[in-house]
Amino acid sequence: MARPKMLKLPEVLEEIDMSRAAFYRMRARGHAPKLSKLPNGQIRVSRADLDAWWESCADRAA
């Protein structure tokens, strides 16, 4: 089984066209995709979680 694609935070921010500060404000309100923290402290977002988050944003906007 293939491992899920994990994106670095800068890749996510570029894809959603958002600043790091705005992303963390959104995260504090509970409106950001699920983050995973690696043992070395780096942050990752799975492609599946990001896609699901995009879908939920589209559903809220409709």
Side-chain angles (χ1 to χ4, degrees), residues 3-18:
R3 290 188 340 200
K5 173 72 174 159
M6 299 297 283
L7 303 169
K8 295 178 181 178
L9 188 56
E11 294 171 324
V12 172
L13 296 174
E14 183 177 331
E15 184 171 328
I16 65 176
D17 194 26
M18 184 178 287

Side-chain angles (χ1 to χ4, degrees), residues 9-10 13-14 16-29 32 35:
L9 188 56
L13 296 174
E14 183 177 331
I16 65 176
D17 194 26
M18 184 178 287
S19 71
R20 183 180 296 263
F23 180 84
Y24 278 105
R25 282 192 304 270
M26 188 171 62
R27 182 174 179 238
R29 292 189 302 265
L35 302 179

